[in-house]
Amino acid sequence: MALPTLFLHSNPSQNAILAFSFLVVVITWVACMIKKSGMATLPLPPGPLGLPIVGNLPFLEPDLHRYFAKLAKTYGPIMKLRLGTKLCIVLNSPSVVKEVLKDQDTTFANHDAVAGVEIITYGGNDIVWSPYGAQWRMLRKVCVHDFLNNTNLAAGQAFRRTEVCRTINRLYAKSGTPINVGAYITQTIFSTMTSTLWGGTLNGEEGTTTAAKFQKVLEDIVDLLGKPNISDLFPIIAPLDVQGKRRKMKKLMSFFDQIFTTILDQRIEINKAAEGGAKETKDFLDILLQLHNGSDPKIQLTMSHVKALLLDLAVGGTETTSTTTEWAMSEMLMKPETIKKAQEELDSVVGKDNILLESHLPQLPYIEGVAREALRLHPGLALLIPHVPSVPATVAGYHIPKGARVFINVWAIQRDPSFWENPNEFMPERWFSTSNGKLDIKGSDFRFFPFGSGRRSCAGLNLAERMLTIILASFFHSFEWSLPEGTKLDLEEKFGLVIKRRNPLVAIPTPRLSKPELYAA
Ligand code: HEM
Ligand SMILES: *[C@@H]1O[C@H](CO)[C@@H](O)[C@H](O)[C@H]1NC(C)=O
Ligand SMILES: *[C@@H]1O[C@H](CO)[C@@H](O)[C@H](O)[C@H]1NC(C)=O
Ligand SMILES: CC(=O)N[C@H]1CO[C@H](CO)[C@@H](O)[C@@H]1O
């Protein structure tokens, strides 16, 4: 009744204005409804309610991968959270992951940089944090095609062999005593990585101290990257660097840059002296310097690219691989019958009086099953590296805004009881079953993708797999392993960018080969 009364008591021009306004409101409202029901504004994925400003931050639990898996039980295969002002999307099932990493691969082929990352990229010249585009494509080609191709991988056996022999000799010296197994694994992988990257340049006594420091600095970088940072969650205050993350990062970087400069200067001198004489095994640095020197007209590699790539591969390849190897050994020690089976295989293929070579690996399916089981239960990067869409996207019928941080919970999927029988149990033999045996390691099936999938999948997969399997096989071929009396092994995790063991893995090596001198350096 109010409206007609209003019209009655007003003059005609006022009436016209009111009627017009009324019409505008109605049209706007109808337009809104049409838009809402149409394609333009799909809803965001469901998710737990948060508080103003801080969002869901106060409710986070420290083990993000487990916390996300728990929430997924309520909110389903795709959900949203707000961490500070940052909108985060978590994917929890193979079918939504396929939509992102396969069907819309190009849109999502960017890694979401966390605060402090810009400092370690030599001015945005590295591969991991480059957005999808021409520079990333060039760097990816250098890594995968020019460096980690089959020829170079095979040639790189020499580097791995030397380091594994060295470690085995160090372990012989410790036989019968409890050792920190993880420390030996890390040392072996670190040395293998650095010699694969820049050869023996860091050798000698001075080299050993530098290497130890280098290894520590690498660990610190991975730690820093894995810490949730306030600047990340509230980008508005990022310039203040309240946590000093950027300051710490800068310090770590200046250390790297010094080392790289030394290595590069030395190498350029050596190459000059050798007058381009062909070396037998080329390390990554040789390949990079040749490209920098214009050996491939399609590739314009600056010195910043060279340094940034060295750093990326050193950071990306060391902790991930050594952590996976340590988890594999831990799982085996928890379940001694797996050690027995692995050793039976090794003894029948390699024998007790022969040295183990990489050429044996294709004949060791049980060891391969062990490696895969470790990658399934303990994928080094439990949430991959967060992806970010370059344009607004639609996933599973929900709206994903440009700039949202997309976590992919590979850890949860690889333990999902709907795809895996006894999902939490370490069972290398599951890889011989007809259903799982077909799953490859490259992520063509989204039930198992420890290295990611698609364009942004791990660039070092082939090298990682070789390092992991040769070390595992060598450790169990050369030694029996037992736990110190009265100790009990656990599988407790410590969350970070790379999920490591909370407590060190301590075990006792006892030689088991007839001719240990085979491994004498
Ligand atoms: C067991 C060991 C390893 C695991 C589990 C692992 C896993 C991964 C994962 C999950 C990603 C990100 C995928 C994504 O964001 O979707 C990645 C990226 C990457 N990894 Fe690995 N990785 C390992 C070893 C290595 C090694 C040995 C190297 C180097 C030689 C390496 C170099 C890289 C690089 C350069 C990227 C970034 C690729 C890009 O942005 O295009 N990784 N890795
Ligand atoms: C691998 O890369 C090297 C250069 O680093 C090149 O000489 C060789 O031909 C490549 N091999 C293959 C199989 O692409
Ligand atoms: C770069 O190329 C020049 C000539 O093309 C050659 O003399 C020099 O040795 C090369 N340097 C490296 C590091 O390959
Ligand atoms: C919120 C939060 O966990 N902040 C961490 C960010 O990183 C610093 C180190 O750089 C940690 O000390 C903080 O705990």
Side-chain angles (χ1 to χ4, degrees):
M1 286 305 280
L3 213 57
T5 327
L6 199 77
F7 279 104
L8 264 177
H9 291 274
S10 326
N11 65 45
S13 74
Q14 261 179 329
N15 281 350
I17 293 171
L18 267 170
F20 181 71
S21 322
F22 182 69
L23 208 68
V24 169
V25 169
V26 168
I27 290 174
T28 317
W29 181 75
V30 170
C32 270
M33 291 315 284
I34 291 173
K35 206 173 157 201
K36 224 172 190 166
S37 64
M39 63 296 126
T41 23
L42 289 168
L44 289 170
L49 285 177
L51 300 174
I53 305 171
V54 288
N56 306 89
L57 269 184
F59 314 110
L60 284 192
E61 290 167 20
D63 292 339
L64 272 193
H65 58 307
R66 288 179 188 272
Y67 176 62
F68 286 165
K70 203 167 78 184
L71 285 180
K73 291 210 172 97
T74 310
Y75 299 100
I78 175 166
M79 64 187 185
K80 74 155 190 300
L81 288 104
R82 274 182 206 282
L83 304 185
T85 51
K86 186 92 186 169
L87 176 67
C88 300
I89 306 290
V90 187
L91 308 185
N92 308 297
S93 86
S95 64
V96 285
V97 174
K98 175 178 165 284
E99 281 191 45
V100 164
L101 292 186
K102 191 167 179 197
D103 305 342
Q104 305 184 60
D105 195 10
T106 28
T107 304
F108 284 92
N110 311 280
H111 284 144
D112 196 22
V114 296
V117 145
E118 71 282 1
I119 295 160
I120 60 168
T121 62
Y122 281 93
N125 282 302
D126 83 323
I127 174 172
V128 179
W129 306 107
S130 276
Y132 180 59
Q135 170 174 278
W136 170 79
R137 264 195 299 274
M138 173 185 85
L139 297 174
R140 180 96 190 177
K141 182 179 170 294
V142 169
C143 284
V144 176
H145 187 264
D146 297 318
F147 173 44
L148 293 171
N149 69 28
N150 285 336
T151 319
N152 291 343
L153 271 176
Q157 252 181 85
F159 296 128
R160 295 185 285 276
R161 172 93 191 275
T162 310
E163 297 309 331
V164 169
C165 280
R166 242 182 229 162
T167 302
I168 287 185
N169 279 308
R170 287 169 64 220
L171 288 174
Y172 272 122
K174 294 279 177 188
S175 69
T177 48
I179 57 152
N180 179 342
V181 183
Y184 283 80
I185 293 173
T186 309
Q187 170 67 46
T188 315
I189 290 188
F190 172 79
S191 311
T192 306
M193 274 306 287
T194 50
S195 58
T196 310
L197 293 176
W198 52 77
T201 316
L202 276 186
N203 276 349
E205 212 166 294
E206 199 197 318
T208 313
T209 23
T210 317
K213 203 170 160 205
F214 190 96
Q215 199 177 326
K216 177 79 179 61
V217 174
L218 272 187
E219 276 170 29
D220 288 350
I221 285 210
V222 174
D223 272 359
L224 263 185
L225 285 180
K227 287 214 168 91
N229 202 270
I230 294 177
S231 309
D232 252 346
L233 309 168
F234 304 98
I236 256 180
I237 60 159
L240 301 178
D241 193 25
V242 272
Q243 296 163 300
K245 209 171 158 176
R246 207 165 279 145
R247 190 165 27 82
K248 282 182 209 147
M249 217 43 133
K250 279 196 178 131
K251 228 175 114 200
L252 296 175
M253 264 316 277
S254 77
F255 172 81
F256 274 124
D257 196 52
Q258 249 172 298
I259 293 198
F260 287 156
T261 308
T262 316
I263 293 173
L264 278 165
D265 289 351
Q266 275 185 23
R267 183 59 58 89
I268 290 167
E269 279 304 307
I270 291 171
N271 284 356
K272 255 194 219 140
E275 299 252 1
K279 272 196 285 181
E280 256 173 59
T281 35
K282 281 191 188 138
D283 55 30
F284 190 36
L285 189 55
D286 289 322
I287 297 169
L288 291 180
L289 285 178
Q290 277 177 359
L291 290 170
H292 172 65
N293 209 11
S295 65
D296 179 346
K298 288 197 287 292
I299 289 180
Q300 310 271 320
L301 213 59
T302 65
M303 228 39 184
S304 293
H305 287 134
V306 171
K307 288 178 174 179
L309 277 179
L310 290 175
L311 185 57
D312 262 7
L313 297 203
V315 171
T318 315
E319 290 244 320
T320 43
T321 317
S322 50
T323 305
T324 313
T325 314
E326 194 181 358
W327 279 119
M329 279 201 74
S330 309
E331 292 280 5
M332 288 176 86
L333 279 160
M334 295 281 281
K335 213 174 166 183
E337 68 263 31
T338 59
I339 300 184
K340 198 165 157 274
K341 281 187 194 149
Q343 288 177 335
E344 276 167 14
E345 183 179 78
L346 286 159
D347 292 347
S348 80
V349 174
V350 186
K352 270 186 154 172
D353 23 59
N354 283 315
I355 193 164
L356 172 79
L357 300 170
E358 279 189 24
S359 54
H360 289 120
L361 292 179
Q363 303 164 62
L364 300 170
Y366 193 81
I367 298 283
E368 195 189 336
V370 164
R372 287 186 173 208
E373 248 332 58
L375 286 162
R376 182 183 71 83
L377 287 169
H378 308 279
L381 302 172
L383 302 168
L384 304 186
I385 300 172
H387 286 241
V388 53
S390 49
V391 292
T394 302
V395 176
Y398 294 108
H399 175 64
I400 310 297
K402 174 182 170 179
R405 173 171 302 165
V406 180
F407 290 108
I408 299 176
N409 200 342
V410 59
W411 178 87
I413 293 172
Q414 293 183 163
R415 287 177 183 239
D416 189 329
S418 29
F419 317 118
W420 303 94
E421 223 172 286
N422 301 324
N424 295 319
E425 203 180 324
F426 181 77
M427 293 173 15
E429 49 284 340
R430 78 167 78 238
W431 292 97
F432 308 129
S433 81
T434 40
S435 55
N436 293 329
K438 290 196 204 84
L439 297 186
D440 74 25
I441 207 167
K442 299 190 176 77
S444 59
D445 187 304
F446 292 96
R447 285 171 293 176
F448 182 63
F449 56 110
F451 294 97
S453 175
R455 288 184 164 75
R456 280 293 187 157
S457 62
C458 181
L461 188 158
N462 292 333
L463 180 59
E465 205 187 2
R466 282 184 188 236
M467 289 196 290
L468 171 63
T469 43
I470 193 67
I471 291 177
L472 273 178
S474 303
F475 275 30
F476 286 105
H477 182 233
S478 285
F479 301 97
E480 298 291 354
W481 294 88
S482 55
L483 297 176
E485 194 120 0
T487 62
K488 218 173 153 273
L489 191 56
D490 67 57
L491 296 171
E492 304 248 327
E493 301 171 332
K494 192 171 125 206
F495 186 80
L497 186 64
V498 176
I499 297 175
K500 302 191 226 180
R501 285 184 58 84
R502 180 168 293 281
N503 307 305
L505 168 62
V506 177
I508 303 169
T510 314
R512 67 187 291 276
L513 294 186
S514 60
K515 294 187 224 153
E517 65 276 9
L518 283 172
Y519 284 91

